[in-house]
Amino acid sequence: ENGADINAEKNNTTQAQRELAAAKKTIKELQDAAKAFDGADAGDLKKQLSDLQTKYDADMAAMRRDNAIELALAGCRAKNSKAARALLDQMDENSRAQVVSFAATVLGNTDLLPMDETGKDTVTDFIRSIDVIGGTEFGQPLTFALNSLRENKEEQRAQAVILLSDGEGPLPDSLKEEYIKEGLLLYTLRIDTGAKPTADTEKLIDMAKATGGFDTLIPVDKSGQADTQELISAFGEAFTATREIGMGEQ
């Protein structure tokens, strides 16, 4: 909570500094305009001042809008990091996890880490740093996860991939057979956007079931955000199902 208060104060200070700089810039422009129109027609000077005022108002509105967007993104990341930590706390230090962010391509990833306190902190920090980017393509992140788990395979350790997405995208036909061959479980957690499932979505759902995993539709609240408790519950079910086979690994 103290960290959130400090960050909020920092954001407020930054915004005030920006507004002060904009105000000083406008004053300078008004002074220059006054000198330029010294002895000139009063009507022209009035129009110049009006134009500068309009520009100032537009700049300030844009600045406040940008600052609001920055705050909203910071709040979204904080909310996601809290939810992520609650999810990770369901895993013990004998489990390992790797997080992969993706849109139309793989954007970044952590290493496959043991879920001790250090590992959980690393994963939580990574999730906090993720930016929201449009576009969805399931083939690349699922292939990345397949190769990573294949390289780190251990006997007597079950391996699973949990795919969380609010989008739809193409999925290579070969992936289902590769996951089944490697014994990888796929759990798909889909954020409910209200859209009718496409052929690609149906293929993804079928792949999850074929690997021994399952598909879950996560409801959203009135603001359009995924229900955090539903999300935590869905992750918990996936972890539990994996543990019934062996040591869970995401």
Side-chain angles (χ1 to χ4, degrees):
E1 293 300 330
N2 289 336
D5 292 339
I6 291 171
N7 287 333
E9 288 302 320
K10 286 182 178 178
N11 286 323
N12 290 334
T13 300
T14 300
Q15 182 179 5
Q17 290 173 338
R18 290 175 179 173
E19 292 184 4
L20 179 60
K24 289 181 178 178
K25 183 174 182 291
T26 300
I27 291 171
K28 180 67 167 55
E29 290 176 343
L30 289 173
Q31 291 173 337
D32 292 342
K35 291 179 182 179
F37 282 94
D38 186 25
D41 182 81
D44 289 339
L45 178 58
K46 184 177 181 180
K47 182 179 183 304
Q48 177 71 12
L49 292 175
S50 177
D51 290 343
L52 285 172
Q53 181 64 50
T54 299
K55 179 178 181 298
Y56 172 75
D57 290 342
D59 289 345
M60 293 302 295
M63 186 182 303
R64 291 191 178 100
R65 182 178 64 250
D66 290 344
N67 191 61
I69 291 172
E70 289 172 5
L71 289 173
L73 286 174
C76 178
R77 292 194 189 104
K79 181 178 179 181
N80 286 343
S81 65
K82 289 179 181 178
R85 188 57 185 233
L87 299 174
L88 296 173
D89 283 343
Q90 300 181 62
M91 304 178 73
D92 59 37
E93 61 184 13
N94 293 316
S95 298
R96 296 185 297 172
Q98 178 178 41
V99 176
V100 180
S101 65
F102 68 96
T105 186
V106 171
L107 303 175
N109 63 278
T110 67
D111 293 329
L112 187 62
L113 302 169
M115 285 297 93
D116 53 18
E117 288 304 308
T118 300
K120 290 178 180 179
D121 288 343
T122 300
V123 170
T124 302
D125 289 342
F126 175 80
I127 293 174
R128 186 182 292 117
S129 71
I130 294 175
D131 285 324
V132 179
I133 300 176
T136 305
E137 205 279 338
F138 294 136
Q140 290 196 42
L142 288 177
T143 299
F144 183 98
L146 169 68
N147 292 334
S148 178
L149 292 178
R150 180 185 283 156
E151 292 172 2
N152 293 279
K153 192 174 183 63
E154 293 182 10
E155 294 298 327
Q156 307 303 315
R157 181 188 285 273
Q159 294 181 310
V161 174
I162 300 177
L163 177 70
L164 173 64
S165 177
D166 63 353
E168 297 184 347
L171 183 69
D173 293 329
S174 61
L175 267 181
K176 181 171 77 172
E177 295 306 319
E178 290 187 76
Y179 266 62
I180 293 174
K181 179 181 178 181
E182 294 295 328
L184 297 182
L185 303 168
L186 173 63
Y187 301 100
T188 51
L189 309 185
R190 296 180 297 111
I191 308 300
D192 187 6
T193 60
K196 183 178 180 180
T198 64
D200 285 328
T201 301
E202 295 293 350
K203 185 187 295 185
L204 183 67
I205 295 172
D206 175 69
M207 177 176 168
K209 294 178 178 179
T211 63
F214 55 71
D215 174 77
T216 303
L217 193 63
I218 307 297
V220 297
D221 58 25
K222 294 180 180 179
S223 66
Q225 297 293 320
D227 187 297
T228 302
Q229 290 305 315
E230 291 284 349
L231 189 58
I232 292 174
S233 176
F235 266 86
E237 290 177 9
F239 291 150
T240 298
T242 304
R243 288 193 193 101
E244 291 177 353
I245 300 174
M247 299 305 297
E249 181 166 283
Q250 179 186 345

